[in-house]
Amino acid sequence: QPVEATDDAFWDQFWADTATSVQDVFALVPAAEIRAVREESPSNLATLCYKAVEKLVQGAESGCHTEKERQIVLNCCRLLTRILPYIFEDPDWRGFFWSTVPGAGRGGGDEDDENARPLAELLLLAVTDLLFCPDFTVQSHRRSTVDTAEDIHSIDSCEYIWEAGVGFAHSPQPNYIHDLNRTELLKLLLTCFSEAMYLPPSSDSSNTNPWVQFFCSTENRHALPLFTSLLNVVCAYDPVGYGIPYNHLLFSDYREPLVEEAAQVLIVTLDYDSSTSSSPTVDGTTTGTAMDDVDPPGPDNLFVNYLSRIHREEDFQFILKGVARLLSNPLVQTYLPNSAKKIQFHQELLVLFWKLCDFNKKFLFFVLKSSDVLDILVPILYFLNDARADQSRVGLMHIGVFILLLLSGERNFGVRLNKPYSVRVPMDIPVFTGTHADLLIIVFHKIITSGHQRLQPLFDCLLTIVVNVSPYLKSLSMVAANKLLHLLEAFSTTWFLFSAVQNHHLVFFLLEVFNNIIQYQFDGNSNLVYAVIRKRNVFHQLANLPTDSQSIQKGLQRKKKTPEPISRTNSQDGVSMEGSRPAAPAEPGTLKTSLVATPGIDKLTEKSQVSEDGTMRSLEPEASQLSPEGNPPAALSDGEAWSGDTSHSRRDRRRLSSASSSGQWTPTPDWVMSWKSKLPLQTIMRLLQVLVPQVEKICIDKGLTDESEILKFLQHGTLVGLLPVPHPILIRKYQANSGTAMWFRTYMWGVIYLRNVDPPIWYDTDVKLFEIQRV
């Protein structure tokens, strides 16, 4: 039956007990009991929540000077962390924390206004105050007796930022009790924010999370110091055990749980759809007038605002070094196995890095300014390669590829890839000598040829990245050149081209790569030119691709005999790097969370043309592509933009998409003709026409079977004046859109759900944002 709110003795037993841990609270308060109280005595659940919040508010007011007060605050914190998910999972309860509690105004008069705040706001404000509470979560600056205890309301929390870094130079003495208390409070914050998990994914990204919205608003007077504390704690963390091998085995690292919690809270507060923030006008330009200077720039979300306004070089350096250090941690294979602590929160770090680049363009340019970007690239390639066979890590594959797509839209990224690759991170790829570009191509080839089926939607993205960097690649190794040709060979088989409406796009991307390298980097790329000459029959077969119904059917028959998505034959992999383990599939029974579909490459990117001075201009949507009747124009020259999504194929696709869902789509001669006529083969055919007779002549004259002589000839050869006029360079740049914003939201909460297992905050509650599946 209902218990009176005034019965303090009854309610106090929930938090006055001696020290417990959050695990104890989860064990003592089982899910079934919380749900039973919710259904059968709702007034008791309401009172319990209200009382617990009241205790936190009192603790924040008083400053928690006694051990007993601190214990009460922590126990209320744990209790709320336990109960909140069960409030969120029931739609009738969801508004509860946003209602004001009747009669909560203690004593009448002017206090009423103050107390008319909804419970959620009282809770969030109390937690933020408690995060800067001297002797509880931060060092006290006064060394004296309790009487002159600092008044928590007069504190300037900017003097109490938790760690040196952005905007703060002083590194406080580590104190593990403070770290533990911060961790518990942040866990409660994260649980408050997790209401998002109980709403199904919607394309309407404007439904902002009310908890995050309030927390990141000007109502939170600690917003700035909290943002900097979270960012600095993450970026300053060094898991190696302060340079002493095996140190982490001797001392439990109380900093790591805080860093993880901080990273998770940080990415959730930054969940903001940047694509809706500027309103494009009819002609596609963004509205911007002189008036913009008057309004405060940026969103109402202060965390996003602060992140976008970081600008000092040393701050960028600190952030980039920190993120790179943590991402490389799993790769640190010292001669002493296990000598460094292995961190597990690389997915949160990748989301944070993405947000930094997406919201702060100055940071993106800083990252690309020096070869430091390679310290981010190598760990990402390591994760991609390592996760390629693991169904439970599809999300990790996507975010790694998204980051590389974002970086590849900038010319500097392509240029940086020419740096020789000398670090030998043990990876399950063929041994090669070459540059970071070779590493990227070899890893992408490995993902495409030996990843699992669910990665197919990423192929477009992977090849777009290669296209974007190709005009800047000075010299590919023989291994990488052979990998590119092997991909072309695999993607241009008739059964692959005819078996799905989108498959020919991959051939277009690869041809664009070859054209870019031949036209813009011919001189250093004798390996690639040699590989093209050796595999010339692939290009001839493409040029003579049959388009009659009979051949199309025959091509499709072949598929039934070889169901393997892409054959691994003809790809001489040779020996893998030493010390590497093959990429393993997920253990059966591994939990994973579902993800929403990502937008297609045409929605994900917009085309820009690079002019001769290196500046980029956005291209108008393909108005010029088609003659009015919607027939494809006569064969395009290699330079003309192949769009992959001309309105002709769009119309076809509308007609097809209805059919293809039932597996009915069949390729027609017209359809094959519509794209075959656009294959950009001119440059390559001209190259073969000029070089093949010369190479054959050398072989006959000198009786050569030796590659090195031919390579030497190709190195000194030139095609100046013999090739068609170089085409303009096209870059497909990532553009923010609500589809990816929603993808990031489901991915991020899925990661947070799966990573919080001790205690299992959300486990077995009725989550709606994603499904929990077993591999």
Side-chain angles (χ1 to χ4, degrees), residues 459-481:
F459 290 2
D460 274 351
C461 264
L462 291 167
L463 293 187
T464 298
I465 294 165
V466 181
V467 174
N468 282 348
V469 300
S470 59
Y472 309 110
L473 304 182
K474 294 207 178 324
S475 142
L476 287 182
S477 69
M478 193 56 99
V479 178

Side-chain angles (χ1 to χ4, degrees), residues 368-438:
L368 293 165
K369 207 171 65 173
S370 72
S371 50
D372 288 351
V373 64
L374 303 175
D375 300 338
I376 300 283
L377 170 75
V378 172
I380 289 179
L381 291 175
Y382 171 85
F383 292 130
L384 289 178
N385 187 56
D386 188 52
R388 69 177 192 262
D390 184 340
Q391 292 268 358
S392 68
R393 289 153 76 194
V394 179
L396 171 63
M397 298 292 295
H398 276 77
I399 185 160
V401 172
F402 282 160
I403 290 174
L404 298 183
L405 179 64
L406 181 71
L407 295 173
S408 74
E410 307 298 331
R411 172 182 180 273
N412 264 355
F413 181 64
V415 174
R416 299 283 159 231
L417 289 179
N418 291 308
K419 187 174 176 182
Y421 176 67
S422 48
V423 242
R424 286 283 170 254
V425 176
M427 279 160 88
D428 156 34
I429 54 171
V431 181
F432 71 98
T433 308
T435 64
H436 285 76
D438 294 311

Side-chain angles (χ1 to χ4, degrees), residues 656-670:
L656 303 164
S657 56
S658 54
S660 61
S661 53
S662 53
Q664 291 302 304
W665 176 77
T666 48
T668 62
D670 282 354

Side-chain angles (χ1 to χ4, degrees), residues 237-460:
Y237 177 56
D238 182 1
V240 177
Y242 304 98
I244 306 163
Y246 299 105
N247 202 9
H248 69 106
L249 301 177
L250 309 179
F251 306 100
S252 75
D253 179 0
Y254 49 84
R255 195 31 72 103
E256 188 185 20
L258 173 65
V259 176
E260 281 199 13
E261 216 66 55
Q264 291 177 0
V265 168
L266 198 52
I267 59 177
V268 170
T269 55
L270 297 169
D271 175 20
Y272 174 80
D273 180 358
S274 58
S275 69
T276 55
S277 54
S278 57
S279 48
T281 51
V282 190
D283 64 347
T285 56
T286 310
T287 47
T289 60
M291 290 301 291
D292 290 355
D293 305 338
V294 188
D295 294 326
D300 304 331
N301 177 325
L302 290 178
F303 278 45
V304 174
N305 206 331
Y306 297 145
L307 187 79
S308 65
R309 295 199 342 227
I310 298 172
H311 61 275
R312 289 171 39 209
E313 294 257 322
E314 53 269 42
D315 289 344
F316 287 156
Q317 190 60 31
F318 164 75
I319 294 171
L320 181 57
K321 277 277 183 282
V323 174
R325 176 192 325 115
L326 292 170
L327 284 178
S328 319
N329 162 275
L331 289 59
V332 180
Q333 297 287 350
T334 51
Y335 299 106
L336 309 166
N338 302 326
S339 63
K341 181 171 184 139
K342 192 166 177 187
I343 60 159
Q344 300 298 332
F345 54 96
H346 48 272
Q347 299 192 85
E348 292 91 323
L349 286 164
L350 289 171
V351 176
L352 178 61
F353 184 76
W354 170 269
K355 299 280 181 197
L356 279 156
C357 293
D358 196 19
F359 295 151
N360 191 325
K361 285 296 169 258
K362 288 199 178 99
F363 177 75
L364 176 62
F365 297 142
F366 176 85
V367 170
L368 293 165
K369 207 171 65 173
S370 72
S371 50
D372 288 351
V373 64
L374 303 175
D375 300 338
I376 300 283
L377 170 75
V378 172
I380 289 179
L381 291 175
Y382 171 85
F383 292 130
L384 289 178
N385 187 56
D386 188 52
R388 69 177 192 262
D390 184 340
Q391 292 268 358
S392 68
R393 289 153 76 194
V394 179
L396 171 63
M397 298 292 295
H398 276 77
I399 185 160
V401 172
F402 282 160
I403 290 174
L404 298 183
L405 179 64
L406 181 71
L407 295 173
S408 74
E410 307 298 331
R411 172 182 180 273
N412 264 355
F413 181 64
V415 174
R416 299 283 159 231
L417 289 179
N418 291 308
K419 187 174 176 182
Y421 176 67
S422 48
V423 242
R424 286 283 170 254
V425 176
M427 279 160 88
D428 156 34
I429 54 171
V431 181
F432 71 98
T433 308
T435 64
H436 285 76
D438 294 311
L439 176 69
L440 178 125
I441 287 168
I442 291 167
V443 169
F444 283 10
H445 172 270
K446 201 79 167 166
I447 294 168
I448 291 171
T449 55
S450 64
H452 56 78
Q453 289 287 323
R454 296 199 37 218
L455 297 179
Q456 282 209 342
L458 280 176
F459 290 2
D460 274 351

